[in-house]
């Protein structure tokens, strides 16, 4: 089996003459945390949408575990174990924390859509649910309604729900967006913890987070790969500093 769990070759997305993603060649190594960074409008989320087939590429190929998945649907790709989160928190607000995670586990029981069945069978999943909640520091909040969680804890719940689906590759889209320092630190530590034994590809704007946990970084600018490598190397790359400019460039260089 290849060292690379995910690869793209010449991945391109055009919108009526505008090239949002331009011939991107990406290699995500198995077991690594790989960060996709770049200034606003660089094409990061569009690239995520191509990888999970929320958008169809104009050209190029996507390989997962060495198999061409370019023509597959979002549902097929998710069944392969490529599971993503989104920029906004996507939890069921009127269900409890425990029930949110239990929904993720139901896909393995063959009862995902059996809403008319009693809860007795579903409660057999609760031990595993509590184990996942323990991992993301939410066990004590299991019975709370998801809507009542602080924002940072909702993102932790979303990660727990993602983990419940047994991802082989987790795609996290801006996991610390909109958080205060305390929540950022908590979620950063959480991502590092849940990444053990898994592969994570993340879009992230917070350079302090990237510098702390990413094994490898790909920098996009205007849809194309500008640089790639470890943080220490990428953060000093002249073209990267120029692309970020101003205060963002200072943050990039000073995030060690």
């Amino acid at each position: 089996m290849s060292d690379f769990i995910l690869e793209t070759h010449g991945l391109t997305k055009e919108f009526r003459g505008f090239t949002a993603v331009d011939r991107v060649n990406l290699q995500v190594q198995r077991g690594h945390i790989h960060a996709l960074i770049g200034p606003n409008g660089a094409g990061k989320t569009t690239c995520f949408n191509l990888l999970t087939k929320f958008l169809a590429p104009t050209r190029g190929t996507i390989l997962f575990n060495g198999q061409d998945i370019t023509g597959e649907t979002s549902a097929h790709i998710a069944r392969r174990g490529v599971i993503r989160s989104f920029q906004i928190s996507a939890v069921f607000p009127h269900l409890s924390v425990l029930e949110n995670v239990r929904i993720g586990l139901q896909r393995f029981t063959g009862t995902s859509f059996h809403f008319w069945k009693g809860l007795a069978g579903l409660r057999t999943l609760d031990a595993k649910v509590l184990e996942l909640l323990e991992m993301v520091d939410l066990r004590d909040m299991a019975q709370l309604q998801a809507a009542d969680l602080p924002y940072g804890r909702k993102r932790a719940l979303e990660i727990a729900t993602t983990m419940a689906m047994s991802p082989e590759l987790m795609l996290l889209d801006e996991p610390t967006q909109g958080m205060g320092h305390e929540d950022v630190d908590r979620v950063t530590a959480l991502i590092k913890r849940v990444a053990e034994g898994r592969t994570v590809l993340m879009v992230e704007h917070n350079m302090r987070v990237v510098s702390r946990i990413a094994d490898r970084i790909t920098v996009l600018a205007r849809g194309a790969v500008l640089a790639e490598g470890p943080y220490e190397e990428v953060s000093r790359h002249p073209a990267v500093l120029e692309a970020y400019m101003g205060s963002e460039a200072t943050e990039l260089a000073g995030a060690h």
Side-chain angles (χ1 to χ4, degrees), residues 14-253:
E14 296 171 351
F15 296 98
R16 295 185 180 181
F18 168 69
T19 303
V21 173
D22 188 8
R23 294 168 292 177
V24 167
N25 297 321
L26 187 64
Q27 291 182 316
V28 178
Q29 192 165 336
R30 199 177 304 278
H32 276 198
I33 299 176
H34 192 123
L36 200 59
I37 70 169
N40 288 337
K44 305 181 297 293
T45 295
T46 302
C47 195
F48 254 37
N49 286 336
L50 293 171
L51 295 175
T52 49
K53 294 306 294 292
F54 284 81
L55 288 173
T58 306
R59 288 182 298 280
T61 56
I62 305 165
L63 302 178
F64 179 67
N65 281 329
Q67 294 186 303
D68 189 339
I69 62 169
T70 315
E72 296 189 1
T73 65
S74 297
H76 278 112
I77 289 169
R79 287 189 200 105
R80 284 184 179 273
V82 181
I83 309 294
R84 75 173 285 184
S85 72
F86 294 84
Q87 284 185 357
I88 57 170
S89 183
V91 299
F92 294 103
H94 302 301
L95 295 180
S96 72
V97 168
L98 183 144
E99 287 166 339
N100 265 272
V101 178
R102 192 164 61 197
I103 285 171
L105 285 175
Q106 276 183 249
R107 68 181 286 238
F108 300 107
T109 67
T111 61
S112 296
F113 301 104
H114 294 186
F115 299 116
W116 61 89
K117 291 197 172 179
L119 284 175
L122 295 181
R123 288 195 177 116
T124 61
L125 302 173
D126 287 358
K128 177 63 176 175
V129 172
L130 292 172
E131 185 182 314
L132 288 167
L133 290 177
E134 180 80 44
M135 191 177 288
V136 300
D137 299 325
L138 286 176
R139 186 180 177 122
D140 292 344
M141 302 181 181
Q143 300 307 323
L144 288 182
Q145 198 172 61
D148 295 335
L149 291 178
Y151 179 71
R153 295 302 179 97
K154 283 180 184 170
R155 297 313 299 257
L157 174 57
E158 186 178 319
I159 290 172
T161 305
T162 303
M163 288 167 55
M165 300 175 75
S166 292
E168 195 173 347
L169 172 63
M170 290 177 69
L171 276 66
L172 305 179
D173 195 359
E174 300 275 16
T176 68
Q177 186 179 51
M179 291 184 187
H181 288 302
E182 185 178 331
D183 279 337
V184 167
D185 289 343
R186 182 185 290 118
V187 170
T188 303
L190 167 59
I191 292 168
K192 192 168 180 66
R193 193 184 315 148
V194 302
E196 292 176 13
R198 295 180 180 84
T199 308
V200 174
L201 176 62
M202 60 189 287
V203 168
E204 181 52 67
H205 69 285
N206 188 318
M207 291 304 108
R208 187 161 166 264
V209 172
V210 171
S211 69
R212 286 171 61 187
I213 65 174
D215 298 298
R216 192 165 184 84
I217 294 160
T218 298
V219 185
L220 291 183
R222 296 176 184 169
V225 174
L226 189 62
E228 190 170 279
Y231 185 84
E232 292 74 16
E233 180 183 311
V234 164
S235 63
R236 293 181 173 89
H237 195 294
V240 174
L241 292 171
E242 185 181 347
Y244 270 87
M245 296 187 294
S247 60
E248 282 188 314
T250 304
E251 182 190 355
L252 184 72

